[in-house]
């Protein structure tokens, strides 16, 4: 009268072998990632367009309820901070060390540091773990590539930090300095040019400049129904603001570092805050620095 879907006979049997650990203790609290070919992708990524990967940490939600408090205009957005970038070889391969015990997402960047394609899921490594991915994303019907990735001919890359204000993510520290230098002289006061105000004055949960710019950056939120990200769909490459600045907007001439700042913000889903803590959010709104989340 005792039901059992998978009965196991109670009898003497050989002890199963102990599988040795595949973790490398020499890596400490880090892991290794091998990307074989970023161009082995679906949807296709233009050949030769990717020069680096941006590593984004996806923050754990630490408060109950959606958007309580919100970290940006995208509805239901997870928090993010940018760990930095690693190089991609000419054959599309990359080999790099990452911190373990955190959620990671990768972004394939062009020569200006703008995301050609973004990863909307996450990955995770244990200390000492080695992980290999074929592409972004490879065909499920294809066999693994036979060629050795060029990146494996060298030591694994270390992460190069992103611009100031990207870790922890802080719109007032990352973006506003660029606006203060190039934009507020025209886009401020009682009659701002184009009726667009780009000052750091608080406006609701954010600032006037953020509320003006975020509407001009395509971001991902719970309203996006597409299951697959199209190259150039989100972030800087899809933003009319970025395209206007690159093609020429009056006499505004941005440096490579300033373009990187704007692209990093746009590609990090155009968020404002780098924390779910209300007290730390209040500090960030005042352009103060916070410690930010730990890496584990």
């Amino acid at each position: 009268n005792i039901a059992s879907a998978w009965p196991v006979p109670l009898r003497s049997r050989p002890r199963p072998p102990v599988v040795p650990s595949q973790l490398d203790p020499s890596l400490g609290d880090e892991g290794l990632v091998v990307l074989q070919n970023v161009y082995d992708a679906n949807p296709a990524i233009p050949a030769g367009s990717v020069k680096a990967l941006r590593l984004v940490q996806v923050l754990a939600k630490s408060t109950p309820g959606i958007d309580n408090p919100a970290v940006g205009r995208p509805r239901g957005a997870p928090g993010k901070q940018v760990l930095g970038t690693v190089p991609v070889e000419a054959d599309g391969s990359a080999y790099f060390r990452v911190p373990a015990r955190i959620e990671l997402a990768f972004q394939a960047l062009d020569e200006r540091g703008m995301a050609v394609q973004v990863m909307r899921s996450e990955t995770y490594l244990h200390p000492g773990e080695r992980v290999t991915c074929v592409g972004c994303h490879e065909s499920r019907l294809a066999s693994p590539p036979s060629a050795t990735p060029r990146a494996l001919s060298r030591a694994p890359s270390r992460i190069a930090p992103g611009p100031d204000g990207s870790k922890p993510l802080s719109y007032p520290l990352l973006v506003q300095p660029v606006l203060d230098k190039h934009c507020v002289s025209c886009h401020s006061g009682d009659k701002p040019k184009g009726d667009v105000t780009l000052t750091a004055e608080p406006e609701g949960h954010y600032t006037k400049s953020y509320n003006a710019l975020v509407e001009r950056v395509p971001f991902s939120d719970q309203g996006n129904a597409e299951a697959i990200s199209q190259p150039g769909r989100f972030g800087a490459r899809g933003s009319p603001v970025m395209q206007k600045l690159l093609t020429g907007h009056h006499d505004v001439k941005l440096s490579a570092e300033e373009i990187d700042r704007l692209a990093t913000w746009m590609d990090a889903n155009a968020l404002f805050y780098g924390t779910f803590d209300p007290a730390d959010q209040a500090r960030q709104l005042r352009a103060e620095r916070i410690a930010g989340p730990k890496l584990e």
Side-chain angles (χ1 to χ4, degrees):
N1 294 328
I2 299 177
S4 178
W6 305 103
V8 178
L10 299 177
R11 67 185 182 192
S12 176
R13 57 188 186 274
R15 182 183 295 274
V18 176
V19 178
S21 173
Q22 298 297 307
L23 302 180
D24 182 352
S26 69
L27 293 174
D29 283 334
E30 292 185 313
L32 287 176
V33 177
V34 177
L35 169 63
Q36 297 189 59
N37 183 4
V38 71
Y39 303 113
D40 195 348
N42 181 24
I45 294 177
S49 62
V50 178
K51 307 303 179 183
L53 293 181
R54 182 185 289 123
L55 278 62
V56 177
Q57 180 185 359
V58 182
L59 306 182
K61 183 72 161 62
S62 57
T63 56
I66 185 174
D67 294 332
N68 178 37
V71 290
R73 186 65 65 83
R75 184 173 182 270
K80 297 179 185 293
Q81 68 174 2
V82 175
L83 302 185
T85 59
V86 294
V88 172
E89 304 294 336
D91 65 345
S93 65
Y95 180 37
F96 51 97
R97 300 174 73 112
V98 299
R101 302 190 184 96
I102 65 172
E103 288 189 82
L104 293 170
F106 305 141
Q107 299 179 344
L109 308 183
D110 64 14
E111 70 281 355
R112 284 175 162 160
M114 298 190 293
V116 179
Q117 181 62 295
V118 297
M119 177 178 173
R120 296 171 70 193
S121 58
E122 297 87 37
T123 190
Y124 174 99
L125 276 74
H126 292 281
E129 187 176 6
R130 301 169 184 265
V131 170
T132 301
C133 56
V134 175
C136 179
H137 290 271
E138 75 281 1
S139 170
R140 300 297 188 237
L141 302 178
S143 60
S146 58
T148 300
R150 183 178 299 178
L152 289 179
S153 64
R154 55 167 174 77
S157 302
R158 293 281 187 176
I159 300 173
D164 183 42
S166 62
K167 179 178 172 287
L169 187 70
S170 170
Y171 175 89
L173 297 178
L174 179 63
V175 177
Q176 193 62 47
V178 180
L179 307 181
D180 290 342
K181 180 179 178 181
H182 295 283
C183 307
V184 297
S185 59
C186 293
H187 295 284
S188 61
D190 295 333
K191 296 181 179 179
K193 292 288 183 69
D195 198 28
V196 175
T197 299
L198 296 179
T199 65
E201 298 171 77
E203 186 177 63
H205 191 49
Y206 308 109
T207 61
K208 288 187 176 181
S209 68
Y210 178 83
N211 288 330
L213 289 181
V214 72
E215 298 295 340
R216 297 166 170 83
V217 179
F219 51 73
S220 172
D221 66 9
Q222 292 196 353
N224 297 124
E226 67 267 33
I228 299 176
S229 294
Q230 297 295 326
R233 163 73 172 87
F234 295 114
R237 285 173 66 99
S239 170
V241 171
M242 181 61 81
Q243 297 309 314
K244 177 178 290 189
L245 292 172
L246 293 178
T247 56
H249 179 60
H250 301 292
D251 59 348
V252 175
K253 301 294 183 183
L254 299 181
S255 67
E257 189 265 345
E258 290 167 336
I259 292 173
D260 185 42
R261 282 174 170 268
L262 297 182
T264 299
W265 168 63
M266 293 178 183
D267 292 339
N269 214 29
L271 301 183
F272 188 92
Y273 296 104
T275 176
F276 290 104
D277 180 81
D280 275 345
Q281 285 197 352
R283 295 183 185 96
Q284 287 198 310
L285 184 60
R286 297 192 297 266
E288 297 176 9
R289 296 183 183 275
I290 65 171
K294 295 180 179 179
L295 279 180
E296 57 179 79

